[in-house]
Amino acid sequence: MTFSQNLLKDLINSIAPISNKEFKELISIFSEKSLKKGSKPITFGETSNLILFVTKGLLREYTVNNNEEHTLWITGVGEAVLDPGSFMVGEPSKIEVEALVNSHIMYTTRQQLENVLFQIPAINAVAHVLYQKNLQDFREHMLLLKIWPTQKRQEILFEKKPHLLRKEVKLKHIASLLNVHPNSLSRIRNQRND
């Protein structure tokens, strides 16, 4: 079994243990791919029926409005990313996913995943928990942006997603994720380092 497959198995077993036979069926629908820094496995305006599971590196999910990029999420090892509207109902993607560093992913299509979910109830239960976690993370991020001042947002974000402290994650991406100007975030960081 590859490192990536072991990572996926550990994630699944942390939610609900599945048999080796069930895992083999699940893993059979995934392919693996290396992504060079700057690669875009999901692009604006194209339909994407893919779910990407990050096994190495970082992926940034963003959109563009008035020629300005807005970072929506940064996905690290052991996390998954997809464009919900495109994945679930086939609409053109409203986001783009970019590798911030050389990365490695496992990926599958909606159709393949739905077939396995139908055939293996234990994996269906795992998928349900992962969907719930994704919704909860989204909700917490929205609350983070609405309730807390900038410095507290940064503290909470780094506590929950320590991989964002990596030097490869540009300040402008973190500032966009926190919905603050990069200069404000830089000033807060400098005050904390004094």
Side-chain angles (χ1 to χ4, degrees):
M1 208 172 342
T2 68
F3 171 80
S4 299
Q5 291 169 345
N6 276 321
L7 190 63
L8 182 60
K9 187 172 187 175
D10 289 346
L11 173 68
I12 291 169
N13 284 330
S14 73
I15 297 168
I18 62 173
S19 72
N20 286 336
K21 181 180 181 235
E22 291 169 331
F23 184 72
K24 283 181 182 176
E25 286 183 56
L26 173 65
I27 208 67
S28 72
I29 67 168
F30 280 89
S31 298
E32 294 190 41
K33 182 177 184 177
S34 292
L35 299 174
K36 297 266 188 217
K37 178 181 177 178
S39 297
K40 296 178 180 175
I42 298 176
T43 56
F44 298 117
E46 294 182 16
T47 301
S48 174
N49 66 345
L50 298 177
I51 184 166
L52 315 174
F53 180 71
V54 181
T55 59
K56 177 185 170 195
L58 296 166
L59 302 181
R60 177 175 74 108
E61 179 182 332
Y62 69 98
T63 192
V64 176
N65 185 25
N66 296 327
N67 294 321
E68 187 177 334
E69 291 183 3
H70 300 276
T71 299
L72 303 171
W73 203 251
I74 298 174
T75 304
V77 173
E79 298 177 326
V81 65
L82 56 81
D83 178 344
S86 197
F87 183 79
M88 294 179 183
V89 295
E91 64 184 28
S93 183
K94 293 181 175 94
I95 65 161
E96 195 145 275
V97 174
E98 169 190 39
L100 290 178
V101 297
N102 290 339
S103 301
H104 190 85
I105 60 170
M106 294 178 68
Y107 64 95
T108 191
T109 66
R110 177 181 179 214
Q111 295 77 14
Q112 290 174 308
L113 185 59
E114 284 182 347
N115 287 340
V116 167
L117 294 177
F118 181 73
Q119 294 169 5
I120 307 171
I123 294 175
N124 195 349
V126 169
H128 184 74
V129 170
L130 291 174
Y131 285 140
Q132 285 179 328
K133 182 185 178 315
N134 194 359
L135 285 172
Q136 181 63 27
D137 287 348
F138 176 76
R139 178 73 171 165
E140 285 180 15
H141 189 69
M142 292 300 100
L143 289 171
L144 177 82
L145 295 177
K146 296 290 183 185
I147 295 174
W148 299 107
T150 303
Q151 185 170 348
K152 186 68 175 174
R153 283 187 226 165
Q154 178 183 337
E155 291 170 10
I156 292 169
L157 183 68
F158 288 148
E159 181 181 310
K160 291 182 183 268
K161 295 181 79 73
H163 61 266
L164 295 179
L165 292 169
R166 289 177 56 172
K167 65 180 179 179
E168 299 93 350
V169 181
K170 294 180 182 175
L171 183 67
K172 70 178 183 178
H173 298 320
I174 295 170
S176 179
L177 184 62
L178 291 171
N179 199 29
V180 298
H181 193 277
N183 292 344
S184 298
L185 190 57
S186 182
R187 191 170 40 254
I188 290 169
R189 282 186 166 182
N190 290 337
Q191 289 171 354
R192 290 184 72 198
N193 292 335
D194 290 344

